[in-house]
Amino acid sequence: MKIGIVIPAHNEAMTMTNCLTSVQTAMTQLPPTITAYPLVVLDSCTDETLALVKAAGVDYLCCHYHCVGRVRDMGIRHAIKKGATWIACTDADSIVTVDWLIQQIAHMTQQPTDMICGVVSVDSWAHLAPQTRQDYINHYQDSMGHRHIHGANLMFSSEAYLTVGGFAPLPCHEDVDLVKKFEAQGYAITWSNQVRVITSSRLEARAAEGFAAFLANLEKSHLSE
């Protein structure tokens, strides 16, 4: 089995190294029968992201799409051509847990699945209003069977991905769209809180309606009170 780990990046010099270090650490936990191929897809980067990826010894592609759906799809199709039969997606502003990959294997071993939707933890609440944190906790279901969808923690079968047509060329919510495609074609989906990543609490969004924008809107609602 070969796992393709695909990471889109747009000017992520502040977080890229920590992301790749966490991915490489998770890879060391895999048994010898399973290999992993990390790939960063740099979209219109003008900072030091590329230099950091090279320093980490990780393969990469470059593009100028300004569209996360196209970026993810480009990377995934490249990984599949390299022999990946399972795709694990995360983001450059996120850190995967040490057991991120082996928890995915555990789910597939326990019960065959075509997709795993994992959960995210927020790295820091220090710069946000206390009520923002509370509202988030009240909203978020950190449990098995949750229904949250994060491009930063989404895994699936390469075969199923190609069958449904892959990520749509969307600037945001490409992850939600892909899950809907899997559901529409009757693929098995595991909603797991055992597969985890820690993601940035920054408020400067890369995607107009992504996770950072969600936190920013929560924060704005309390600052205006």
Side-chain angles (χ1 to χ4, degrees):
M1 179 181 185
K2 186 173 184 178
I3 303 173
I5 303 170
V6 178
I7 309 165
H10 172 63
N11 290 343
E12 298 288 6
M14 295 293 292
T15 59
M16 192 79 257
T17 297
N18 286 341
C19 172
L20 294 179
T21 298
S22 72
V23 166
Q24 290 169 326
T25 300
M27 288 167 55
T28 66
Q29 308 301 304
L30 290 171
T33 55
I34 300 175
T35 59
Y37 167 67
L39 174 70
V40 178
V41 187
L42 298 102
D43 185 15
S44 310
C45 289
T46 57
D47 64 356
E48 297 301 311
T49 303
L50 176 55
L52 295 172
V53 174
K54 289 180 177 179
V58 171
D59 200 4
Y60 64 89
L61 300 172
C62 295
C63 62
H64 297 280
Y65 292 148
H66 295 281
C67 175
V68 68
R70 291 186 69 185
V71 174
R72 290 194 198 277
D73 185 65
M74 176 184 181
I76 290 164
R77 291 179 186 276
H78 181 83
I80 292 173
K81 287 180 181 178
K82 289 283 189 176
T85 54
W86 181 258
I87 300 295
C89 297
T90 191
D91 285 346
D93 68 340
S94 300
I95 297 172
V96 307
T97 59
V98 173
D99 63 349
W100 184 60
L101 293 171
I102 59 173
Q103 287 290 350
Q104 296 173 43
I105 301 302
H107 280 306
M108 288 186 278
T109 301
Q110 293 162 8
Q111 184 173 349
T113 189
D114 302 300
M115 172 180 274
I116 300 172
C117 297
V119 295
V120 301
S121 300
V122 174
D123 64 350
S124 173
W125 296 101
H127 59 293
L128 301 173
Q131 191 57 44
T132 297
R133 178 177 183 271
Q134 192 57 52
D135 284 355
Y136 179 84
I137 291 171
N138 291 343
H139 159 79
Y140 204 81
Q141 300 171 2
D142 191 339
S143 59
M144 293 297 293
H146 68 86
R147 285 297 184 272
H148 301 297
I149 299 170
H150 305 285
N153 199 11
L154 184 63
M155 291 66 61
F156 39 80
S157 152
S158 297
E159 181 180 357
Y161 180 83
L162 294 176
T163 299
V164 304
F167 278 112
L170 299 172
C172 59
H173 304 314
E174 79 293 342
D175 46 3
V176 175
D177 177 77
L178 184 68
V179 172
K180 287 181 178 178
K181 289 178 180 177
F182 271 65
E183 289 177 327
Q185 297 207 25
Y187 283 109
I189 301 176
T190 301
W191 303 83
S192 173
N193 74 333
Q194 304 302 309
V195 180
R196 311 183 65 87
V197 305
I198 302 163
T199 199
S200 170
S201 59
R202 68 185 180 191
L203 302 181
E204 300 78 26
R206 295 295 190 271
E209 298 177 34
F211 189 76
F214 172 72
L215 285 183
N217 287 334
L218 278 182
E219 182 74 356
K220 183 179 179 180
S221 68
H222 297 304
L223 293 178
S224 62
E225 291 176 352

